[in-house]
C-alpha cells in the first residue's frame, strides 16, 4: 500500500528562468534526485521534497540561477512543537523505524567556547610579534616521566622515556573510517597530515593498502568491531587508539550499512561484501578498567612497546573518574569526544540527547588528573565541534595537549553539514562509497585545501599566542588564567576553572 | 628490562622456565628466541602470563605447560601454540593466522574477532565464544570445541567456522548454551548434539548439513581427533545441525531511512 507522505519539502528550490540555460549541471550534480530534465518542455524542474539543502547545485550552477531556501513551514507558532518535532514524528509514523542522522548534535545547547575570551598582553608584559620571532607549536604526545635523571658526566638522559610522538601543530584529523568516508577523503587527510607534520586517524575500518605509505602520520584505531586489525596494521601506526566511545553516540555501537560495504571496503575490513559491518556497543574483552588495562598492554606487547596507546571515550557525566582509570590502566593519551562530535550515522535521539559538552568534560578531566597528580602521565586530546583556531587556543588553555578536527576538515573539503551522511548519497563525494560520487574529491585538491586550513589555523594560533606574550604552545597548556568567562553562572565558572571577565 | 641475546642451544627445542616472569619478560624472551631463529619453544611453569604468542609473525611452535593467562595468541600471525592445561579468557583474540590447541578448557570470548587461523579446545568454553569472527575470501578462521559452551556462542558472527561437539554431554543431554548466534550475519556454526529452539538467537536458521558441510566437518574433526586422541569417525556418526545467518543485514530494517 503506497500512502501519501505527510512530509512537506524542507527546502524550496528557486530557479531563475532568466539565468537558467537548461545545461543540466544541477541534474548531474544532485545525488538526491531533486533536479530533472523534462525533455518534452525542454526545461529543468525540481522534486523539491528530495532536497536536503546541501547546496551542491548552487555552487556548481554556471549561471548562478539557483537559490535554495528553507521552507518556512509556517505552522501555527508553537515553541514546544517545532517543525522538526512534527517532521520526526511523521517519519516515525510512516516507517516505524529508528531515525538516523549524520554529523554532530545540532541543538541549541550552550557552546562554552563562545562564552570564553582570551587574554592579551598590555603594558606590563610585552607581546611578541610571531612574524619576526620564533613561535613554537610543536607538541609531543605520550606519557611523560615524573622526573628526569641525567648522567652528570655526559649530560645524557638516563631516564627511559615512554614513546613520544611529535606533531608540528596541535591539530590532528579525527577518526573517520574507510567506508564511512571515501578513500579519496582518507587520501586527502593522510597526505595533508604528512605534509603538515601532524596525524590522521583511520577510524575503525582498517588501513587501505594504498595508505600504508602514510603510516608515519597515521593513528590506527582498534574498536569493538576490530575491523582490519592485524599485526601489520598495528605495527605500521604511529599511535594506536582504542575507541571506547564516540561523542555523537556514546554507549552505542555502529552499523555500517551493507550498501556501503563495497568490495574494497570489505577487503579492508575483512568481512564479506554487502554484509552490514556491525560494531558492537561494548568491546567484549573490555568490561572494566582492568580489562582496558589488559587490551592496552596487549597492544603494547603486540608492538613491542614502541607506540603510545590512546584511549578514546565519549564525554559523559563521570568522564573525570573514568579518565583516572584510563590513565592508571596505562593509556598514554586520553581522547575525549564531546557531544558536538560528528558521525557517519547515529540514531538522532542519541546524537541530540546523550553526552556532555567537550569544554566541561575537558576542564573537569584536566582538573581531576591534576588533583590526582597524574596529569603528566597522559596527554589529553579533545574533539567534538572545534570550529576555529580560537576554539583550539581555548581548548589548550583549558588543558588539552592537542585537538582533533573532523567536521572542520570535511567542511574544508566541501561539506555543508546537510546531515545526510547515513544515506551514503553525499553529493560532495565525502561520506559515500559510490564511485560516481567519490571521484568528486580529488586527493590533490583535497590535500591542498586541508593543508591550507592547517596553515591558516597555525598562523592564527601563533598570532594569539604572541598577543599573550607566549612563544610556545607548551606554556599555554592548562593555563586557565589566560581565559575569562562571559555570561556564565558561578558553577559553570567553577567547573571550567576560569574567572569571570573583569575579575 | 635486560635485553641480552640468548645464544641458540644445539638442541632444536628452546626451553624457558617461566617461574617468576612477568608477562612482558616472558614475551620478550620468546620474541628474542624467535628473532634468533628458534623454531620450537617449550614454556614450563607458565602461571597466568598474558599475551603469549603475540607479535610473533613466523610459524614458530610454542608448547605451554601450565596455565597461560588472558589473551593467549592475541593478534597472533602464524605461530602454533599447544597448551597442556587450560586457557583463560580471550584465547585467540583478533588472531590473524596460526593455530592454538588447548588440552583442557578455555574461558570467555575464545576466538573474539578472529580473522584467520584455527583454534581447537578439547573441553568446554565460556561465554561469547567466537564472537564477531570474520572472514574474507580464503581467509576463514575455524574454532572447534570438544565440550559445550556458555551463552552467546557465535554472537555477532560475521564469518568463519564454529564447531561445537558436546563430547562430554550425557546421552540426551542438550547443550547448556543460550542465545546461540545472536546478531550472526556471516559464517556458519555446526552443533553436534541436541539443542532446543529457544536456545537459538533470532538471527539464525537451522538446516541439515549437506555434502559440502560434511567435507568441512570431516576436515576439522579429523584434525581435532588427531590433536586429542579421539576417533573422528565416531564423532562424525552423530547427528549434526548447521546454523546459518538468516540475513546478511540483521539490523537493516531497524531504521526509518
Amino acid at each position: 500500500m503506497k500512502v501519501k507522505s505527510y512530509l512537506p519539502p524542507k527546502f524550496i528550490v528557486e530557479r531563475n528562468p532568466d539565468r537558467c540555460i537548461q545545461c543540466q549541471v544541477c541534474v548531474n550534480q544532485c545525488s538526491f534526485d531533486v533536479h530533472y530534465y523534462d525533455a518534452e518542455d525542454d526545461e529543468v524542474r525540481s522534486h523539491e521534497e528530495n532536497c536536503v539543502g546541501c547546496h551542491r547545485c548552487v555552487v556548481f550552477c554556471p549561471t548562478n540561477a539557483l537559490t535554495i531556501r528553507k521552507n518556512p513551514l509556517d505552522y501555527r507558532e508553537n515553541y514546544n512543537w517545532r517543525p522538526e518535532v512534527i517532521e520526526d514524528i511523521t517519519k516515525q509514523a510512516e516507517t516505524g523505524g529508528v531515525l538516523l542522522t549524520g554529523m554532530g548534535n545540532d541543538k541549541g545547547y550552550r557552546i562554552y567556547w563562545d562564552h570564553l575570551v582570551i587574554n592579551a598582553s598590555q603594558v606590563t608584559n610585552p607581546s611578541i610579534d610571531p612574524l619576526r620571532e620564533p613561535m613554537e607549536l610543536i607538541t609531543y604526545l605520550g606519557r611523560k616521566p615524573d622526573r628526569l635523571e641525567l648522567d652528570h658526566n655526559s649530560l645524557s638522559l638516563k631516564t627511559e622515556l615512554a614513546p613520544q610522538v611529535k606533531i608540528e601543530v596541535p591539530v590532528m584529523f579525527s577518526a573517520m573510517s574507510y567506508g564511512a568516508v571515501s578513500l579519496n577523503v582518507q587520501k586527502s587527510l593522510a597526505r595533508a597530515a604528512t605534509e603538515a607534520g601532524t596525524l590522521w586517524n583511520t577510524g575503525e575500518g582498517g588501513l587501505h593498502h594504498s595508505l600504508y605509505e602514510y603510516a608515519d602520520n597515521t593513528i590506527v584505531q582498534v574498536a569493538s568491531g576490530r575491523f582490519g586489525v592485524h599485526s601489520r596494521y598495528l605495527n605500521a601506526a604511529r599511535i594506536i587508539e582504542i575507541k571506547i566511545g564516540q561523542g555523537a553516540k556514546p554507549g552505542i555501537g555502529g552499523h555500517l550499512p551493507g550498501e556501503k560495504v563495497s568490495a574494497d571496503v570489505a577487503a579492508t575490513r575483512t568481512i564479506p561484501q554487502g554484509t552490514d559491518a556491525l560494531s558492537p556497543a561494548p568491546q567484549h574483552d573490555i568490561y572494566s578498567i582492568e580489562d582496558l588495562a589488559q587490551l592496552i598492554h596487549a597492544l603494547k606487547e603486540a608492538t613491542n612497546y614502541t607506540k603510545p596507546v590512546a584511549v578514546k571515550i565519549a564525554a559523559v557525566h563521570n568522564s573525570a573518574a573514568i579518565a583516572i582509570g584510563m590513565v592508571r590502566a596505562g593509556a598514554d593519551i586520553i581522547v575525549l569526544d564531546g557531544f558536538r562530535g560528528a558521525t557517519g550515522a547515529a540514531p538522532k535521539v542519541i546524537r541530540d540527547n546523550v553526552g556532555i559538552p567537550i569544554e566541561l568534560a575537558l576542564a573537569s578531566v584536566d582538573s581531576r588528573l591534576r588533583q590526582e597528580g597524574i596529569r603528566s602521565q597522559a596527554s589529553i586530546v579533545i574533539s567534538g565541534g572545534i570550529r576555529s583556531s580560537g576554539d583550539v587556543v581555548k581548548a589548550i588553555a583549558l588543558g588539552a595537549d592537542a585537538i582533533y578536527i573532523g567536521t572542520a576538515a570535511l567542511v574544508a573539503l566541501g561539506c555543508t553539514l546537510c546531515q545526510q551522511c547515513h544515506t551514503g548519497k553525499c553529493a560532495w563525494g565525502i561520506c559515500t562509497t559510490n564511485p560516481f560520487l567519490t571521484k568528486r574529491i580529488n586527493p590533490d585538491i583535497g590535500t591542498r585545501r586541508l593543508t591550507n586550513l592547517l596553515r591558516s589555523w597555525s598562523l592564527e594560533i601563533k598570532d594569539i599566542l604572541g598577543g599573550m606574550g607566549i612563544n610556545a604552545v607548551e606554556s599555554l597548556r592548562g593555563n586557565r588564567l589566560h581565559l575569562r568567562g562571559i555570561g556564565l553562572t558561578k558553577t559553570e565558572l567553577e567547573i571550567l576553572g576560569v574567572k569571570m571577565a573583569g575579575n | 628490562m635486560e635485553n641480552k641475546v640468548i645464544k641458540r642451544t644445539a638442541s632444536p627445542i628452546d626451553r624457558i622456565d617461566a617461574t617468576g616472569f612477568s608477562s612482558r619478560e616472558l614475551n620478550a624472551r620468546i620474541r628474542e628466541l624467535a628473532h634468533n631463529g628458534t623454531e620450537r619453544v617449550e614454556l614450563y611453569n607458565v602461571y597466568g602470563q598474558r599475551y603469549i604468542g603475540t607479535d610473533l609473525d613466523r610459524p614458530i611452535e610454542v608448547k605451554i605447560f601450565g596455565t597461560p593467562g588472558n589473551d593467549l595468541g592475541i593478534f597472533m600471525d602464524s605461530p602454533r601454540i599447544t597448551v597442556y592445561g587450560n586457557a583463560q579468557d580471550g584465547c585467540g583474540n583478533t588472531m590473524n593466522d596460526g593455530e592454538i590447541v588447548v588440552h583442557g578448557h578455555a574461558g570467555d570470548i575464545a576466538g573474539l574477532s578472529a580473522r584467520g587461523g584455527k583454534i581447537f579446545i578439547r573441553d568446554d568454553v565460556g561465554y561469547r565464544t567466537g564472537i564477531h569472527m570474520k572472514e574474507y575470501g580464503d581467509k576463514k578462521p575455524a574454532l572447534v570445541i570438544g565440550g559445550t559452551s556458555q551463552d552467546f556462542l557465535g554472537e555477532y558472527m560475521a564469518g568463519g567456522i564454529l564447531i561445537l561437539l558436546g563430547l562430554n554431554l550425557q546421552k540426551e543431554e542438550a547443550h547448556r548454551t543460550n542465545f546461540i548466534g545472536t546478531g550472526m550475519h556471516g559464517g556458519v556454526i555446526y552443533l553436534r548434539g541436541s539443542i532446543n529452539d529457544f536456545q537459538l538467537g533470532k538471527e539464525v536458521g537451522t538446516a541439515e548439513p549437506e555434502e559440502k558441510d560434511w567435507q568441512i566437518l570431516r576436515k576439522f574433526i579429523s584434525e581435532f581427533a588427531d590433536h586429542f586422541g579421539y576417533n573422528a569417525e565416531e564423532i562424525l556418526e552423530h547427528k549434526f545441525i548447521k546454523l546459518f545467518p538468516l540475513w546478511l543485514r540483521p539490523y537493516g530494517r531497524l531504521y526509518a531511512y
Side-chain angles (χ1 to χ4, degrees):
Chain A
M1 185 176 62
K2 177 89 179 153
V3 186
K4 160 97 182 117
S5 169
Y6 294 168
L7 289 170
K10 278 194 80 107
F11 295 93
I12 295 168
V13 180
E14 281 177 356
R15 197 183 311 279
N16 183 338
D18 297 339
R19 291 184 173 187
C20 181
I21 52 170
Q22 320 298 331
C23 68
Q24 298 177 49
V25 163
C26 52
V27 179
N28 289 322
Q29 289 298 323
C30 184
S31 50
F32 292 90
D33 300 323
V34 174
H35 307 283
Y36 67 99
Y37 177 65
D38 188 325
E40 226 167 80
D41 294 348
D42 183 29
E43 202 180 324
V44 177
R45 300 211 164 108
S46 345
H47 293 297
E48 286 182 324
E49 66 277 14
N50 293 338
C51 182
V52 298
C54 78
H55 285 67
R56 176 85 185 176
C57 56
V58 175
V59 172
F60 278 76
C61 176
T63 57
N64 291 331
L66 286 166
T67 309
I68 307 289
R69 282 196 299 119
K70 230 174 95 179
N71 186 350
L73 295 178
D74 288 328
Y75 302 111
R76 186 175 293 270
E77 201 74 23
N78 193 316
Y79 193 74
N80 193 37
W81 299 94
R82 300 182 296 275
E84 184 191 355
V85 176
I86 295 172
E87 180 193 332
D88 285 356
I89 292 178
T90 307
K91 282 182 184 170
Q92 286 165 332
E94 291 178 2
T95 64
V98 173
L99 297 176
L100 278 186
T101 187
M103 300 319 291
N105 189 328
D106 61 3
K107 295 292 170 287
Y109 298 102
R110 172 162 283 178
I111 298 168
Y112 286 93
W113 305 127
D114 297 342
H115 292 263
L116 292 169
V117 286
I118 302 167
N119 195 26
S121 302
Q122 298 295 302
V123 183
T124 55
N125 53 342
S127 48
I128 302 170
D129 183 346
L131 295 178
R132 278 176 290 283
E133 293 193 45
M135 192 62 71
E136 180 97 18
L137 295 188
I138 289 173
T139 301
Y140 288 89
L141 298 176
R143 179 169 293 246
K144 307 292 184 290
D146 289 337
R147 63 182 68 79
L148 289 177
E149 242 186 289
L150 292 174
D151 184 298
H152 288 293
N153 296 321
S154 65
L155 288 183
S156 61
L157 195 61
K158 272 166 74 181
T159 312
E160 200 183 317
L161 286 181
Q164 303 289 319
V165 172
K166 177 182 169 184
I167 48 176
E168 301 287 340
V169 44
V171 180
M172 310 187 286
F173 299 128
S174 65
M176 289 174 272
S177 71
Y178 176 39
V181 296
S182 72
L183 190 58
N184 282 349
V185 170
Q186 282 206 338
K187 237 174 228 169
S188 307
L189 293 166
R191 281 164 55 178
T194 306
E195 275 185 34
T198 185
L199 302 167
W200 73 288
N201 188 317
T202 60
E204 115 137 298
L207 180 61
H208 191 266
H209 58 83
S210 68
L211 298 175
Y212 272 83
E213 61 179 294
Y214 308 105
D216 271 353
N217 293 78
T218 302
I219 299 173
V220 301
Q221 214 177 45
V222 173
S224 66
R226 299 286 155 84
F227 293 113
V229 178
H230 50 93
S231 77
R232 185 170 166 241
Y233 169 80
L234 297 175
N235 280 293
R238 204 64 196 280
I239 293 173
I240 300 171
E241 181 177 279
I242 299 172
K243 177 196 174 184
I244 302 292
Q246 185 174 341
K249 42 179 173 177
I252 69 166
H255 300 166
L256 184 71
E259 297 95 356
K260 275 180 138 180
V261 182
S262 63
D264 216 22
V265 170
T268 307
R269 294 191 176 219
T270 52
I271 48 165
Q273 189 180 345
T275 60
D276 279 350
L278 305 181
S279 298
Q283 310 215 16
H284 283 287
D285 50 0
I286 306 176
Y287 289 176
S288 65
I289 291 290
E290 291 75 13
D291 288 350
L292 175 65
Q294 179 172 302
L295 184 63
I296 290 171
H297 287 95
L299 292 166
K300 290 186 177 182
E301 198 65 61
T303 52
N304 200 9
Y305 298 86
T306 54
K307 297 165 199 308
V309 174
V311 180
K312 173 179 177 177
I313 57 164
V316 289
H317 301 181
N318 44 1
S319 294
I322 299 163
I324 292 168
M326 285 155 59
V327 175
R328 296 209 189 278
D332 303 303
I333 300 165
I334 60 177
V335 182
L336 305 166
D337 192 16
F339 74 167
R340 298 278 182 196
T343 174
K348 189 165 183 276
V349 68
I350 305 268
R351 187 198 72 172
D352 291 349
N353 295 284
V354 182
I356 64 168
I358 188 60
E359 302 91 321
L360 303 178
L362 166 62
S364 62
V365 166
D366 179 71
S367 303
R368 190 73 74 82
L369 292 181
R370 283 165 188 266
Q371 284 159 15
E372 296 267 327
I374 55 174
R375 175 63 185 85
S376 62
Q377 291 180 21
S379 300
I380 297 179
V381 176
I382 63 135
S383 56
I386 307 299
R387 305 156 297 175
S388 65
S389 57
D391 291 354
V392 171
V393 168
K394 291 170 189 175
I396 292 172
L398 277 183
D401 288 80
I403 282 80
Y404 266 140
I405 55 168
T407 304
L410 297 188
V411 170
L413 293 175
C415 172
T416 55
L417 280 90
C418 72
Q419 307 189 12
Q420 300 303 306
C421 323
H422 61 291
T423 63
K425 291 186 192 171
C426 179
W428 289 89
I430 296 167
C431 206
T432 174
T433 55
N434 175 346
F436 175 73
L437 299 171
T438 56
K439 65 182 179 205
R440 293 181 180 187
I441 297 287
N442 173 330
D444 292 336
I445 298 170
T447 304
R448 184 58 44 228
R449 297 182 73 96
L450 290 165
T451 46
N452 279 345
L453 177 73
L454 291 176
R455 181 171 183 273
S456 309
W457 285 22
S458 300
L459 292 170
E460 290 174 357
I461 293 169
K462 287 178 182 176
D463 253 348
I464 301 172
L465 288 180
M468 284 190 275
I470 293 176
N471 63 4
V473 75
E474 291 253 307
S475 315
L476 176 66
R477 187 174 315 130
N479 197 342
R480 299 190 197 174
L481 283 171
H482 278 299
L483 295 176
R484 288 290 189 274
I486 284 184
L488 298 174
T489 66
K490 201 165 169 239
T491 317
E492 287 170 318
L493 291 168
E494 263 168 33
I495 291 171
L496 290 166
V498 299
K499 290 179 178 174
M500 170 78 189
N503 204 334
Chain B
M1 194 187 5
E2 225 180 327
N3 207 14
K4 67 172 185 209
V5 177
I6 294 176
K7 231 175 147 186
R8 270 199 73 193
T9 55
S11 152
I13 302 175
D14 282 291
R15 296 187 171 84
I16 299 176
D17 181 355
T19 309
F21 275 22
S22 70
S23 304
R24 186 171 176 178
E25 287 163 344
L26 180 59
N27 284 306
R29 195 61 64 86
I30 302 169
R31 192 179 293 133
E32 204 169 65
L33 289 174
H35 188 73
N36 291 334
T38 294
E39 280 160 14
R40 296 164 72 189
V41 187
E42 292 187 355
L43 312 178
Y44 293 92
N45 302 315
V46 174
Y47 194 67
Q49 286 92 346
R50 294 173 174 177
Y51 324 122
I52 297 173
T54 192
D55 193 29
L56 300 176
D57 54 359
R58 55 200 85 193
I60 169 174
E61 189 168 323
V62 183
K63 290 197 168 150
I64 299 173
F65 298 90
T67 307
N70 292 351
D71 284 342
L72 172 70
I74 186 171
F75 311 118
M76 188 171 87
D77 207 8
S78 68
R80 220 190 105 136
I81 297 180
T82 310
V83 181
Y84 297 95
N86 299 319
Q88 307 302 303
D89 295 347
C91 160
N93 188 345
T94 323
M95 162 176 173
N96 196 45
D97 203 359
E99 189 175 33
I100 299 178
V101 179
V102 179
H103 291 258
H105 302 287
D108 298 339
I109 56 168
L112 168 89
S113 284
R115 301 156 42 88
K118 292 185 259 191
I119 304 173
F120 296 93
I121 314 282
R122 190 189 65 196
D123 302 328
D124 297 330
V125 291
Y127 290 88
R128 302 189 200 271
T129 298
I131 178 174
H132 218 304
M133 275 166 52
K134 300 176 176 57
E135 71 179 56
Y136 183 75
D138 301 337
K139 217 160 164 47
K140 203 178 263 199
L143 170 53
V144 187
I145 300 141
T148 188
S149 124
Q150 295 284 9
D151 297 348
F152 295 105
L153 177 79
E155 185 186 20
Y156 266 123
M157 209 166 140
I161 298 159
L162 220 164
I163 302 173
L164 186 69
L165 296 174
L167 297 173
N168 55 3
L169 295 176
Q170 302 301 312
K171 220 176 166 193
E172 305 301 319
E173 185 187 357
H175 283 283
R176 305 285 174 76
T177 326
N178 287 317
F179 308 106
I180 300 173
T182 293
M184 182 176 178
H185 54 292
V188 62
I189 302 176
Y190 299 105
L191 292 174
R192 181 180 172 279
S194 54
I195 197 100
N196 301 298
D197 274 350
F198 69 79
Q199 291 174 269
L200 302 178
K202 293 192 295 287
E203 293 82 14
V204 294
T206 57
E208 296 265 323
E210 297 166 23
E211 184 42 41
K212 66 174 177 22
D213 299 310
W214 286 113
Q215 279 174 17
I216 295 170
L217 285 167
R218 273 196 289 274
K219 174 179 184 305
F220 288 108
I221 289 172
S222 303
E223 286 184 39
F224 177 86
D226 286 348
H227 287 312
F228 303 118
Y230 284 101
N231 181 331
E233 289 310 313
E234 277 176 24
I235 298 175
L236 283 159
E237 270 169 20
H238 205 275
K239 180 176 151 53
F240 278 81
I241 313 164
K242 175 188 179 180
L243 303 181
F244 59 93
L246 291 172
W247 306 285
L248 291 179
R249 308 198 42 205
Y251 305 117
R253 297 160 307 158
L254 196 62
Y255 302 111
Y257 296 96

